């Protein structure tokens, strides 16, 4: 255990932060209790104190409590957005790699074009089209993350296709689907996992950006990006409504990035050893 | 352009007297949004009014107490039936392009405003009311379609400002202002500034400023910081949350002063009277009773405003205060809901723009206490107007029950009531967003508008207000004070009740 | 050269396709700019007159044909909000965005390339760990949060820097730093990876074995090849830079096209949204083209095909 920690400090830090987030998000609201939407308009913008560790916001709500409840929303964001992006992107990439070369080129060309498209501009258009709301924002984020997964899955599969053992399997008469799902998917799983972890960090940041522009979560959801966006309206009179949600986002993203980076390094090290 | 301002301030900072005097020349004012147009008749925005005011003048002007003062007209009189108004023009007034401001030019300007072919955005209240404009010697004669007691207040509005006939014909007004005001148009750089320069051939007293630089930022915190750092000499509006920073003794008070003027923008929640259960007046009254308006003023405005329970704003003749009704009466509200058969509660949807979103969030929490669940749809300006002004069937489809916004028509009770409550102004035709339809109120609105005697009119408006409060098609919430910040070295800045900032008379405090 | 010509043709075809998609998408956005201009008091007749004046009463296909015809002659229509020609408004704002973006890329390269080289040379030692940790944090922070804290600290509390807007050089410091954060982290990591790979190559070992000074080996041989992934990142990340610019320009009240876009979306200024979206796509596709050509020039191995 200690050896792992010494060799992969980033991985451990990431795993710790993510684990902490999971635990807090799962049991935090149950243990702490309280209502994250309870307002007290006569005591707004109270600075941090023992009763309110992160102060209160412009409606007199406890920011700490909202951050804890917001963890669940952040997890929801990551799961929905990543599931959509990877769920479409990876099969598309696999298909592209196995498809005839003209189709492969066409799919990859389209995907590169979509990747080049400024993500936020695309998200802006999608959210404006569907109407503001967290779910729509997540769809928009997923939309501009798809090409990343497509490209990754396609390149990995493409490289594997000519690997000796796959060719051997083909000669042995294994079905295409069997090769694809049994062998290829298993082999690309590790790099895809790394990408999902790193992508999750991007999802959190992008969701915060969209909420900051007023296109994300709708009130009174304790969504971190929205909280920070609300906080910016009082910056100068009170720093805590902006500081703490920003810190929470930063910690979550650092955790995810550490985990992803650490995983990649660990995998690289393993492949170098073999 | 900004660089010269910056250099100026540096030199002034070193207290070189001559340099400071040279710097006393200009003023930078920061607003919340950019101008919509340089054509006064083609816009309806308070911030734009502020920017256009130094360029343009109207026949008459309205001061901060609501009295009408001479503008381009020195005298005026109305016929006994209140339909024909004669204005005698001030002689020797020039437009910035050198054209004389004669009766012909004034008539052409007003005709342009109401011309359907021109399709001007600010024509709203004028078209249909003004029937004809004619010149008669040094006079301009305006004929109205019906008697209208508050016509002078309408003519004082920025939309009715007199524009140069040459510029109007040339079609350049949208980008290049051309009026008779004490300042002429300098330049307008999109996303950066509008600059006004002193007009040397102005008919009246010359202003002490050489130029006014208008900038804007949608971020309230940025506006506040700009005031503290001196990036702006004047800011309007400053968000209520920052007003306390400038109370004497706190660090920011050394830099600037925040002035408070009673505002005229009434914030309200309109209820869709066609959508069950909001079609039941008892439900609507219950919603109104469960609102703690005092808490709204304390929390959202940090005390900078007054609770509002009636349709007419405080500065207008005939207005009524809240009294004890400013607080919530949850028990009474519950009883009403029970009588209406909705004691189990229900769910409604509100559409709101970003600036008013906090109101929705506060109402959401308050209504929760009587079992009403409010779903908030925050929309961008362009989308919001469409859903707010949607006809009944569309609102029913989208289940829009509540529309939150504000309305400002200082001193003119008719403009505070008719567009919001008359059956004829039901959306999409007008701003009666909840489709309130009460023939008795309609008749009383007509009667009040045609009553020229101020006391009789105030009494009529009193009756209307009580009726509206009982029926509760719209829930008045509060009137927000106008807050504006001025750096310590600037004097002579005032504001008008419609939220316009007036800086034409501003000057730098002499260097000690 | 024929390769370049073919790619330019592809780019034009793609642009035509994209312009149609963008046009339809933008015009199906909910919202009504005429109602917004006329204000809440306006009667129906005023709105209808405005619709006619703005050309919004025509069918969509006719509006697209009009748009395409005019766009080909460089006319992108008039802003619905204030009547300025879209082309002129963009041309006036573009230099601000280009300068901001350009400077932040310069800063990102100035930090990223030497930093990445250092990390690659000292792999596994403390400078490497420190730099990697810094890039990890740098890439994890929300740009606008850093911007807001920077404004609060450096402009309001310390009065060192101006708050916002564009003006003299001091106005650039905060926005450039905020915008450079993400690309700097990315470039540093790419340089490090690229450098590590190159340093393991045989020809570098040969150069070293020949007794060339390490500095020469590094700058003349290794860096050039390690630049391939860096150029790729810079050009391919242009989309990311545009996204970052939208947020950064909004926070800093920067008179660039990012803020122009946000304002245009808010007010449903169709021609403006269209112009900016198309321009940014053209920019990104153009950058990809440049990237391909540059990489071909930098990396002799790809020159053959």
């Amino acid at each position: 255990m200690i050896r792992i920690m010494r060799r992969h400090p980033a991985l451990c830090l990431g795993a710790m932060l993510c684990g902490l987030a999971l635990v807090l998000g799962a049991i935090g609201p149950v243990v702490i209790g309280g209502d994250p939407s309870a307002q007290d308009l006569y005591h707004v913008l109270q600075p941090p104190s023992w009763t309110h560790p992160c102060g209160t916001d412009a409606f007199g709500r406890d920011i700490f409590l909202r951050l804890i409840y917001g963890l669940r929303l952040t997890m929801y964001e990551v799961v929905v957005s990543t599931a959509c992006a990877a769920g479409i992107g990876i099969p598309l990439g696999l298909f592209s790699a196995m498809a005839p070369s003209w189709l492969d080129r066409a799919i990859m060309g389209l995907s590169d074009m979509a990747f080049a498209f400024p993500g936020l501009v695309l998200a802006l258009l999608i959210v404006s089209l569907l109407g503001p709301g967290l779910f729509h924002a997540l769809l928009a984020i997923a939309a501009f993350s798809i090409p990343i997964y497509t490209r990754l899955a396609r390149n990995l599969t493409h490289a594997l296709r000519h690997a000796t053992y796959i060719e051997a399997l083909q000669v042995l008469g294994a079905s295409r689907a069997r090769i694809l799902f049994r062998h290829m998917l298993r082999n690309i799983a590790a790099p895809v996992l790394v990408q999902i972890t790193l992508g999750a960090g991007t999802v959190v940041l992008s969701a915060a950006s969209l909420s900051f522009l007023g296109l994300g979560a709708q009130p009174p959801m304790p969504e971190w990006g929205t909280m920070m966006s609300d906080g910016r309206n009082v910056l100068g009179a009170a720093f805590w409504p902006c500081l703490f949600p920003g810190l929470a986002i930063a910690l979550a993203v650092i955790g995810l990035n550490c985990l992803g980076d650490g995983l990649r390094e660990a995998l690289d090290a393993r492949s170098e050893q073999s | 352009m900004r660089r010269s301002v910056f250099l100026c301030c540096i030199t002034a900072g070193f207290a070189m007297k001559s340099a400071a005097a040279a710097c006393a020349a200009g003023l930078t004012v920061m607003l919340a949004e950019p101008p919509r147009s340089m054509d006064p008749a083609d816009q309806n925005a308070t911030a734009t009014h502020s920017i256009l005011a130094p360029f343009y003048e109207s026949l008459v002007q309205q001061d901060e107490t609501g009295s009408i003062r001479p503008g381009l007209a020195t005298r005026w009189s109305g016929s006994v039936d209140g339909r024909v108004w004669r204005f005698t023009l001030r002689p020797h007034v020039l437009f910035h392009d050198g054209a004389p401001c004669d009766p012909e030019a004034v008539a052409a300007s007003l005709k342009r405003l109401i011309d359907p072919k021109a399709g001007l955005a600010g024509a709203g209240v004028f078209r249909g009311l003004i029937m004809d404009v004619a010149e008669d010697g040094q006079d301009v004669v305006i004929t109205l379609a019906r008697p209208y007691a508050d016509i002078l207040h309408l003519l004082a509005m920025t939309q009715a400002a007199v524009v140069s006939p040459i510029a109007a014909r040339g079609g350049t007004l949208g980008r290049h202002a051309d009026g008779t005001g004490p300042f002429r148009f300098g330049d307008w750089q999109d996303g950066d500034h509008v600059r006004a320069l002193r007009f040397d051939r102005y008919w009246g007293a010359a202003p002490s400023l050489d130029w006014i630089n208008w900038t804007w930022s949608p971020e309230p915190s940025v506006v506040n910081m700009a005031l503290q750092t001196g990036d702006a000499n004047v800011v309007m509006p400053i968000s209520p949350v920052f007003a306390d920073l400038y109370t004497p003794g706190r660090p920011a008070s050394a830099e600037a002063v925040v002035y408070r003027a009673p505002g005229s923008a009434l914030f309200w929640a309109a209820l869709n009277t066609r959508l069950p259960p909001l079609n039941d007046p008892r439900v609507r009254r219950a919603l109104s009773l469960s609102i703690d308006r005092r808490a709204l003023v304390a929390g959202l405005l940090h005390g900078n405003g007054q609770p509002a329970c009636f349709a007419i704003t405080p500065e207008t003749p005939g207005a009524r205060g809240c009294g004890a009704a400013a607080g919530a009466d949850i028990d009474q509200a519950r009883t009403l809901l029970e009588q209406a058969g909705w004691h189990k509660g229900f769910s409604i949807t509100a559409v709101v723009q970003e600036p008013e979103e906090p109101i929705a969030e506060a109402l959401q929490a308050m209504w929760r206490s009587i079992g009403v669940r409010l779903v908030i749809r925050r929309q961008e300006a362009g989308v919001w107007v469409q859903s707010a002004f949607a006809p009944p069937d569309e609102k029913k489809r989208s289940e829009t029950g509540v529309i939150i916004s504000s309305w400002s028509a200082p001193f003119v009770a008719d403009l505070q009531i008719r567009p919001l409550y008359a059956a004829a102004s039901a959306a999409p035709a007008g701003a009666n967003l909840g489709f309130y339809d009460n023939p008795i109120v309609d008749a009383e609105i007509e009667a009040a508008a045609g009553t020229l005697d101020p006391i009789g009119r105030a009494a009529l408006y009193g009756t209307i207000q009580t009726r509206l409060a009982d029926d509760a098609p719209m829930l008045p919430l509060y009137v927000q004070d106008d807050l504006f910040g001025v750096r310590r070295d600037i004097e002579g800045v005032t504001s008008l009740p419609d939220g316009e900032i007036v800086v034409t008379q501003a000057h730098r405090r002499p260097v000690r | 050269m024929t390769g370049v010509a073919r790619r330019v043709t592809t780019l034009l075809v793609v642009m035509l396709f994209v312009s149609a998609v963008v046009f339809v998408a933008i015009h199906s956005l909910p919202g009504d700019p005429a109602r917004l201009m006329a204000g809440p008091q306006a009667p129906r007749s005023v709105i209808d007159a405005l619709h006619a004046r703005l050309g919004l009463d025509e069918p969509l296909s006719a509006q697209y044909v009009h748009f395409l015809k005019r766009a080909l002659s460089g006319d992108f229509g008039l802003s619905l909000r204030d009547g300025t020609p879209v082309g002129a408004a963009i041309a006036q704002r573009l230099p601000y965005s280009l300068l901001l973006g350009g400077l932040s890329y310069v800063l990102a390269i100035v930090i990223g390339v030497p930093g990445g080289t250092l990390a690659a040379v000292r792999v596994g030692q403390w400078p490497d760990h420190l730099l990697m940790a810094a890039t990890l944090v740098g890439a994890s922070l929300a740009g606008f949060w850093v911007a807001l804290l920077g404004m609060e600290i450096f402009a309001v509390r310390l009065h060192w820097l101006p708050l916002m807007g564009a003006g003299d050089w001091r106005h650039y410091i905060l926005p450039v730093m905020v915008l450079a954060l993400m690309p700097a982290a990315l470039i540093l990591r790419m340089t490090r990876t690229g450098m590590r790979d190159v340093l393991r190559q045989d020809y570098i070992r040969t150069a070293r074995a020949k007794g060339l000074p390490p500095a020469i080996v590094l700058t003349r041989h290794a860096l050039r090849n390690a630049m391939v992934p860096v150029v790729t990142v810079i050009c391919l990340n242009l989309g990311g830079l545009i996204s970052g610019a939208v947020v950064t320009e909004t926070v800093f009240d920067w008179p660039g096209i990012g803020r122009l876009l946000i304002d245009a979306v808010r007010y449903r200024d169709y021609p403006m949204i269209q112009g900016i979206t198309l321009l940014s796509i053209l920019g990104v596709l153009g950058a990809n083209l440049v990237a391909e050509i540059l990489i071909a020039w930098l990396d002799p191995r790809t020159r053959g095909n």
Side-chain angles (χ1 to χ4, degrees):
Chain A
M1 187 70 199
I2 293 167
R3 225 185 67 203
I4 300 178
M5 264 177 82
R6 293 233 343 243
R7 274 180 59 187
H8 304 290
L11 183 67
C12 292
L13 181 65
M16 260 164 55
L17 280 172
C18 293
L20 187 72
L22 278 174
V23 171
L24 267 182
I27 62 162
V30 185
V31 172
I32 299 171
D35 179 358
S37 304
Q39 301 186 357
D40 181 358
L41 289 173
Y42 292 104
H43 297 95
V44 299
L45 299 177
Q46 300 282 307
S49 62
W50 285 113
T51 40
H52 305 292
C54 299
T56 67
D57 71 359
F59 296 91
R61 295 176 296 208
D62 186 90
I63 293 177
F64 180 70
L65 200 59
R66 289 176 71 71
L67 286 176
I68 297 291
Y69 275 84
L71 255 171
R72 290 184 174 181
L73 275 176
T74 305
M75 290 175 195
Y76 166 79
E77 283 169 3
V78 168
V79 169
V80 169
S81 224
T82 311
C84 286
I88 298 173
I90 294 173
L92 194 64
L94 288 174
F95 172 75
S96 186
M98 308 301 274
S101 80
W102 65 269
L103 192 57
D104 178 37
R105 260 212 308 266
I107 292 175
M108 286 340 292
L110 267 176
S111 145
D112 285 353
M113 208 173 81
F115 181 66
F117 204 95
L120 202 73
V121 176
L122 184 70
L124 213 64
L125 285 182
I126 294 179
V127 175
S128 306
L129 213 60
L130 300 176
L134 187 58
F135 186 67
H136 294 161
L138 295 179
L139 287 186
I141 294 166
F144 68 72
S145 319
I146 290 173
I148 303 174
Y149 291 101
T150 312
R151 168 60 78 186
L152 183 72
R154 184 259 175 203
N155 285 357
L156 290 168
T157 321
H158 200 78
L160 269 180
R161 213 167 79 157
H162 301 290
T164 330
Y165 82 101
I166 296 285
E167 277 173 0
L169 279 171
Q170 272 167 342
V171 173
L172 286 174
S175 80
R176 231 176 176 188
R178 193 184 153 86
I179 296 178
L180 200 62
F181 289 105
R182 264 308 276 284
H183 300 277
M184 292 210 169
L185 212 51
R186 186 189 291 170
N187 270 292
I188 68 170
V192 165
L193 189 68
V194 171
Q195 180 55 47
I196 284 179
T197 322
L198 293 174
T202 318
V203 167
V204 175
L205 280 182
S206 304
S209 292
L210 282 177
S211 294
F212 179 77
L213 296 172
L215 301 169
Q218 296 280 323
M221 280 188 183
E223 202 272 333
W224 292 350
T226 314
M227 289 173 70
M228 187 164 25
S229 167
D230 290 345
R232 86 189 194 273
N233 290 333
V234 299
L235 201 72
F239 62 86
W240 50 95
C242 192
L243 178 75
F244 292 111
L247 261 182
I249 294 175
L251 280 177
V253 181
I254 287 175
L256 287 165
N257 281 351
C258 275
L259 192 65
D261 252 21
L263 274 178
R264 179 162 53 196
E265 253 168 46
L267 289 171
D268 279 356
R270 204 182 61 183
S271 64
E272 264 168 40
Q273 277 169 4
S274 59
Chain B
M1 280 311 202
R2 284 234 176 130
R3 178 175 305 187
S4 64
V5 182
F6 163 62
L7 284 178
C8 237
C9 296
I10 288 277
T11 8
F14 286 114
M16 292 175 60
K17 268 205 170 159
S18 58
C23 287
L27 199 65
T28 298
V29 188
M30 184 178 280
L31 304 169
E33 60 162 44
R36 306 278 175 90
S37 172
M38 288 294 123
D39 183 345
D42 203 20
Q43 51 77 40
N44 289 292
T46 306
T48 310
H49 292 171
S50 296
I51 295 176
L52 294 185
F55 296 137
Y56 294 101
E57 289 171 303
S58 302
L59 282 173
V60 291
Q61 51 179 333
Q62 174 179 299
D63 66 10
E64 59 267 30
T65 64
S67 331
I68 295 295
R69 298 247 180 93
L72 286 174
T74 51
R75 280 175 307 159
W76 54 87
S77 59
S79 65
V80 182
D81 67 352
R83 285 191 53 215
V84 182
W85 292 79
R86 172 179 289 270
F87 297 84
T88 306
L89 291 194
R90 193 181 294 279
H92 315 303
V93 175
L94 292 179
F95 286 105
H96 301 150
D97 58 14
C101 179
D102 49 22
E104 203 181 330
V106 174
S109 180
L110 289 174
K111 278 180 184 158
R112 186 183 82 103
L113 173 64
I114 55 172
D115 181 7
K117 272 185 292 212
L120 293 168
V125 291
F126 299 94
R127 197 181 295 159
L129 178 62
I130 296 182
M131 228 166 62
D132 186 42
V133 189
E135 61 249 41
D136 179 12
Q138 193 57 25
D139 293 357
V140 174
V141 179
I142 298 176
T143 312
L144 305 182
R146 56 177 194 273
Y148 197 82
D150 291 316
I151 182 65
L152 291 175
H153 289 283
L154 290 196
L155 288 174
M157 284 165 67
T158 312
Q159 287 90 334
V162 176
V163 301
S164 156
I166 301 175
R169 271 198 303 274
T172 56
L173 275 174
R175 296 292 304 170
H176 190 292
D178 208 330
T180 59
F183 287 83
R184 66 188 165 83
F185 181 75
D187 68 319
W188 173 10
Q189 206 169 347
D190 282 303
D192 198 52
H193 69 266
V194 168
R195 181 167 285 241
L197 306 168
R198 187 169 61 209
F199 177 45
D200 291 323
R201 290 157 83 190
Y202 182 57
W203 59 266
S208 88
L209 296 174
D210 284 336
W211 46 262
I212 306 168
N213 197 31
W214 301 94
T215 61
W216 45 86
S217 169
E219 302 287 324
S221 56
V222 165
V223 173
N224 166 56
M225 291 184 201
L227 181 65
Q228 284 189 31
T229 55
D231 282 55
N233 306 106
V234 178
V235 303
M236 170 85 178
I238 185 160
S239 167
V241 66
F242 301 116
D244 282 349
L245 296 178
Y246 297 88
T247 47
R250 301 195 60 177
S253 68
E255 306 283 345
V257 185
V258 165
Y259 294 93
R260 178 182 304 151
S264 68
L266 175 69
F267 287 77
W268 39 251
L271 304 178
N272 185 350
T273 58
R274 300 251 183 112
L275 187 77
L278 298 176
N279 55 354
D280 188 331
R282 289 171 299 190
V283 174
R284 300 199 296 258
R285 250 197 334 270
L287 289 180
S288 184
L289 282 168
S290 60
I291 299 172
D292 184 351
R293 292 173 170 82
R294 220 177 282 134
L296 289 181
V297 171
L300 302 184
L301 303 182
H302 297 258
N304 298 291
Q306 308 171 46
C309 301
F310 294 98
I312 293 179
T313 54
E315 89 295 339
T316 314
R320 298 176 54 185
C322 263
D329 189 343
I330 302 290
D331 295 337
Q332 176 71 14
R334 284 219 181 95
T335 316
L336 277 171
L337 274 191
E338 206 160 315
Q339 283 168 9
W342 288 97
H343 53 280
K344 283 193 191 132
F346 55 89
S347 175
I348 42 173
T349 301
V351 292
V352 65
Q353 298 186 72
E354 206 194 331
E356 277 84 51
E357 193 269 320
I359 301 178
E361 220 166 326
L363 291 185
Q364 190 178 47
M366 289 173 181
W367 286 346
R368 210 164 56 155
S369 61
I370 55 165
V372 175
R373 200 173 88 85
L374 183 69
V375 178
I376 301 174
R377 272 196 218 130
R378 179 178 49 198
Q379 297 176 329
E380 296 149 294
V383 186
W384 181 85
V385 283
Q386 208 181 25
S387 30
F389 284 86
D393 51 330
E394 236 170 83
K395 281 207 180 104
K396 191 172 180 186
R397 211 175 314 129
S398 60
E399 293 178 341
T400 305
V402 185
I403 301 118
I404 297 168
S405 190
S406 67
W407 191 262
S408 171
F411 309 113
V412 188
D414 183 56
L415 285 189
Q416 292 171 20
I417 292 193
R418 184 193 297 269
L420 303 179
Y421 297 98
S425 5
N432 179 353
L433 305 177
F435 319 109
Y436 181 58
D437 187 353
N438 186 339
I440 305 170
V441 170
D442 283 354
E444 283 169 343
I445 290 174
E446 285 306 333
T451 306
L452 299 182
D453 157 45
I455 298 167
R457 194 146 49 106
L460 271 171
Y461 279 126
T463 321
I464 298 178
Q465 283 181 83
T466 317
R467 213 182 289 286
L468 290 177
D470 287 344
D471 253 2
M474 265 181 156
L475 314 178
L477 302 171
Y478 58 69
V479 176
Q480 183 172 352
D481 289 341
D482 286 331
L483 296 170
F484 59 99
V486 181
R487 297 277 299 171
R488 284 249 173 231
D489 56 341
I490 308 290
E491 279 177 334
V493 179
T494 55
S495 76
L496 291 181
D498 67 344
E500 214 177 297
I501 187 108
V502 183
V503 294
T504 46
Q505 298 306 315
H507 51 88
R508 298 241 169 189
R509 203 166 279 194
V511 178
R512 262 171 295 168
Chain C
M1 258 355 254
T2 51
V4 175
R6 205 186 61 218
R7 284 190 181 126
V8 171
T9 325
T10 321
L11 192 135
L12 287 178
V13 174
V14 168
M15 277 313 287
L16 192 72
F17 172 70
V18 169
S19 75
V21 172
V22 168
F23 189 90
V24 172
I26 287 171
H27 282 260
S28 27
L29 292 183
D32 183 359
R35 175 50 94 176
L36 196 63
M37 282 169 80
Q41 282 130 319
R44 193 76 237 167
S45 61
V46 173
I47 306 274
D48 290 340
L50 267 172
H51 271 142
R53 195 183 96 189
L54 302 172
L56 293 172
D57 53 350
E58 287 180 69
L60 201 59
S61 55
Q63 288 186 44
Y64 178 64
V65 172
H66 276 291
F67 163 76
L68 211 57
K69 266 190 209 152
R70 278 178 299 146
L72 287 178
S73 57
D75 173 9
F76 288 92
L78 300 179
S79 157
L80 296 184
R81 193 147 67 103
D82 53 23
T84 30
V86 167
I90 294 178
Q92 195 231 317
R93 302 282 198 106
L94 194 58
Y96 287 101
S97 291
L98 286 181
L99 199 56
L100 187 62
L103 283 175
S104 59
Y105 258 169
V106 169
L107 182 65
I109 293 170
V110 165
I111 296 172
V113 172
T117 312
L118 179 68
V121 174
R122 297 265 177 274
V123 147
Q125 297 169 21
W126 67 265
D128 182 33
H129 291 311
L130 201 69
L131 283 165
M132 285 296 99
T135 57
L136 206 137
V137 174
S140 304
L141 297 178
F144 54 94
W145 186 60
V146 181
L148 288 169
L149 294 185
M151 286 162 99
E152 169 87 13
I153 296 170
F154 294 107
V156 174
R157 304 222 166 181
L158 298 175
H159 289 273
W160 287 357
L161 294 172
L163 185 67
M164 33 143 270
D168 60 294
W169 60 273
R170 301 186 326 149
H171 285 89
Y172 283 82
I173 295 177
L174 272 180
V176 164
M177 286 194 340
V178 168
L179 204 50
L181 206 60
M182 192 69 96
L186 248 138
I187 290 174
L188 203 152
R189 294 192 149 222
M190 287 309 275
T191 310
R192 175 178 177 268
T193 316
M195 217 43 168
R196 267 182 77 184
D197 290 347
V198 170
L199 287 177
R200 284 187 207 145
Q201 303 274 328
D202 290 341
Y203 71 101
I204 296 291
R205 289 195 194 144
T206 319
R208 275 193 182 148
K210 277 198 308 195
L212 282 175
I216 302 253
V217 174
L218 221 55
T219 49
R220 199 162 298 166
H221 296 271
L223 200 55
R224 184 177 164 137
N225 286 300
M227 277 302 89
V228 174
V230 176
V231 170
T232 318
V233 167
I234 292 173
C235 293
L236 291 186
N237 194 41
L238 195 75
L241 187 74
I242 294 174
S243 303
V246 171
V247 177
T248 311
E249 287 182 5
T250 308
V251 181
F252 284 103
D253 208 18
W254 192 260
I257 53 169
R259 220 188 74 198
L260 193 62
L261 176 67
I262 290 286
D263 289 347
V265 169
R266 198 164 284 163
Y267 288 95
R268 291 298 182 260
D269 190 345
Y270 300 137
M272 192 66 87
I273 308 177
Q274 204 153 272
I276 299 170
T277 313
L278 290 179
L279 180 82
S280 55
I281 299 171
L282 188 66
V284 165
L285 292 177
N288 285 0
L289 195 69
V290 172
E292 280 180 37
I293 296 169
L294 259 181
I295 288 166
W297 175 75
L298 274 172
D299 188 354
R301 279 170 303 181
T302 55
R303 246 180 247 173
N305 43 21

